[in-house]
Amino acid sequence: MFKLSDKILLLCVGEAGDTVQFAEYIQKNIQLYKMRNGYELSPKAAANFTRKNLADYLRSRTPYHVNLLLAGFDETDGPGLYYMDHLSALAKAPFAAHGYGAYLTLSILDRYYRPDLTRDEAVDLLKKCIEELNKRFILNLPSFSVRLIDKEGIHDLEKLMPVGAK
Amino acid sequence: MSGKYVFSTSVCRLYQVEYAMEAIGHAGTCLGILANDGVLLAAERRNIHKLLDEVFFSEKIYKLNESKSRYIIYNIVETYGIPFLPSHRYLLQYQEPIPCEQLVTALCDIKQAYTQFGGKRPFGVSLLYMGWDKHYGFQLYQSDPSGNYGGWKATCIGNNSAAAVSMLKQDFKEGEMSLSSALALAVKVLNKTMDVSKLSAEKGVYRDTCIQSAWSMQHMQQC
């Protein structure tokens, strides 16, 4: 997970090396914007900037093979989650997942998500997803780090460790 | 050589830039006023030949995008279309309208480059920019051929601009100007600085205002 600004996080998965290269490139550019102009990019603008870069590289000899989730809190628009895949598609979504785990968790999220979830309910929903992975996913994933963004900024929540996983 | 590189022995001056700024002083007056609820730009319209077929509604004020910035130019051929590039390049990359000051900076960087590199002459253009963005609200900027710019509460460029600015200095009330009182002030100042005895729609004063979500472009009422 990469901190793009005080209120924006970027999660980057995919090809080894591409992930860090691309995410750091975006991160430094976002910080440069803040230094040049005195104010930060909004999450929506940051997401579109990331997508545009991914799209431009996609059509070059050196595409980045990464999948991204961008989460941010905007003063006027509130919280926002942006899903981006390696073909440079961008969508603002209430919930999202990448990878094989997505096959298992998206249905859980679909079933239990409500737009008016409280913070604790959202964490519970996340726990449900992880339990599902623990039960049905072939790989053993013992621990998940969790971060939350609200109007105060980015907070580290306690690690989630499903029971029975080592 | 262009004459730009001629320096006097004691003072370092760029004459081409100074000549450009002096040329601006002969062009039609143009003033901008920042009010509490918007920004106002008013420009004198000079080409009022009867046979002229009016293609543009206004030859001098251009809208850059929905929520902001218009600008007034002198010597249309020189800069028409140039501001659209930085503003739409930003929109393409961020899917958001460009913040005012960033647009001003982008244009002024171009103008400054013409005073230092390439051996070309500077743009004979002064611009007034008005707009709104979420960072600083309503804003008014002025830039000149040297590439210098400043943010203003009220300012004027073109013919008799010094007289207009001193009038504005006296009559502009900080924090108390509404768009309608700004309009009244603009008319009063233009009356003094323009050569005509009476301002009217035909003599051509265009006024343009920036309100956060709505644009209006109107002829001046008979005054």
Side-chain angles (χ1 to χ4, degrees):
Chain A
M1 257 190 265
F2 292 84
K3 187 174 152 186
L4 295 189
S5 79
D6 287 335
K7 302 216 173 113
I8 309 181
L9 272 181
L10 180 70
L11 186 70
C12 194
V13 295
E15 178 101 35
D18 281 3
T19 49
V20 176
Q21 282 287 84
F22 185 70
E24 276 188 358
Y25 173 71
I26 299 295
Q27 183 184 48
K28 300 316 170 201
N29 268 293
I30 306 272
Q31 287 168 358
L32 177 64
Y33 184 99
K34 180 175 179 187
M35 276 184 237
R36 271 206 190 120
N37 300 303
Y39 41 78
E40 289 181 337
L41 271 174
S42 66
K44 174 167 162 272
N48 276 295
F49 170 74
T50 308
R51 189 214 76 85
K52 181 79 170 52
N53 266 287
L54 199 54
D56 289 341
Y57 276 105
L58 187 65
R59 293 153 180 85
S60 72
R61 288 179 306 107
T62 57
Y64 285 103
H65 199 282
V66 291
N67 292 312
L68 306 153
L69 286 181
L70 192 143
F73 191 93
D74 189 32
E75 296 298 326
T76 34
D77 300 329
L81 175 69
Y82 295 88
Y83 168 100
M84 242 175 294
D85 74 357
H86 66 278
L87 292 173
S88 203
L90 171 68
K92 185 166 193 289
F95 52 84
H98 278 300
Y100 288 118
Y103 289 112
L104 301 166
T105 52
L106 281 175
S107 47
I108 305 282
L109 290 164
D110 233 350
R111 168 73 177 82
Y112 291 110
Y113 174 83
R114 281 174 298 112
D116 57 347
L117 287 174
T118 66
R119 181 177 306 203
D120 294 322
E121 285 172 345
V123 177
D124 282 337
L125 183 51
L126 200 57
K127 284 185 183 151
K128 271 206 189 67
C129 292
I130 294 175
E131 271 168 33
E132 189 66 19
L133 287 178
N134 195 26
K135 260 187 246 164
R136 299 212 283 133
F137 192 42
I138 190 171
L139 294 182
N140 183 42
L141 304 165
S143 114
F144 288 79
S145 60
V146 183
R147 290 208 174 90
L148 177 118
I149 312 183
D150 60 14
K151 65 175 175 352
E152 264 94 52
I154 302 175
H155 309 281
D156 273 322
L157 300 183
E158 59 167 15
K159 282 202 201 312
L160 290 179
M161 300 199 237
V163 178
K166 289 187 263 293
Chain B
M1 276 302 219
S2 66
K4 237 193 275 196
Y5 308 106
V6 175
F7 299 101
S8 71
T9 50
S10 51
V11 170
C12 187
R13 292 166 70 173
L14 295 172
Y15 290 118
Q16 283 296 320
V17 178
E18 291 182 19
Y19 299 157
M21 310 222 287
E22 204 191 296
I24 303 286
H26 299 306
T29 320
C30 192
L31 62 88
I33 302 180
L34 189 63
N36 293 337
D37 48 343
V39 198
L40 177 88
L41 277 184
E44 176 192 343
R45 180 185 166 212
R46 275 215 179 144
N47 298 346
I48 42 176
H49 199 283
K50 229 172 65 174
L51 295 176
L52 193 64
D53 193 6
E54 191 81 29
V55 177
F56 295 101
F57 187 55
S58 154
E59 76 225 5
K60 281 164 116 177
I61 304 186
Y62 296 94
K63 179 172 168 181
L64 284 180
N65 59 47
E66 273 319 307
S67 72
K68 38 174 304 301
S69 281
R70 297 208 185 191
Y71 63 101
I72 298 189
I73 62 173
Y74 287 91
N75 198 343
I76 302 164
V77 173
E78 303 235 316
T79 57
Y80 181 72
I82 292 189
F84 295 98
L85 264 177
S87 116
H88 286 91
R89 210 181 288 137
Y90 187 97
L91 184 64
L92 176 64
Q93 190 160 67
Y94 298 103
Q95 294 298 316
E96 264 187 0
I98 186 171
C100 291
E101 192 166 352
Q102 286 189 45
L103 176 64
V104 177
T105 316
L107 290 179
C108 286
D109 282 345
I110 297 174
K111 291 212 269 189
Q112 190 277 335
Y114 278 79
T115 68
Q116 195 172 13
F117 313 111
K120 301 188 185 68
R121 66 164 174 84
F123 283 99
V125 167
S126 262
L127 296 163
L128 284 181
Y129 312 73
M130 66 172 184
W132 181 92
D133 63 40
K134 63 184 179 191
H135 305 286
Y136 296 112
F138 293 110
Q139 296 153 69
L140 174 68
Y141 295 95
Q142 179 198 334
S143 72
D144 58 26
S146 64
N148 217 1
Y149 75 88
W152 294 84
K153 296 169 197 151
T155 187
C156 180
I157 50 179
N159 198 13
N160 275 329
S161 56
V165 169
S166 61
M167 263 192 88
L168 284 172
K169 206 164 158 188
Q170 282 181 323
D171 295 335
F172 180 81
K173 303 211 175 4
E174 170 113 32
E176 290 170 19
M177 303 290 299
S178 68
L179 269 180
S180 44
S181 60
L183 181 56
L185 178 57
V187 170
K188 181 172 149 201
V189 172
L190 280 176
N191 234 335
K192 289 275 167 59
T193 60
M194 275 172 68
D195 292 334
V196 293
S197 51
K198 187 174 162 201
L199 286 174
S200 74
E202 287 84 40
K203 293 299 193 301
V205 181
Y206 283 103
R207 128 56 203 211
D208 208 354
T209 56
C210 172
I211 309 164
Q212 187 171 337
S213 53
W215 283 98
S216 59
M217 185 123 160
Q218 298 168 17
H219 277 277
M220 190 69 70
Q221 303 302 320
Q222 208 80 12
C223 46

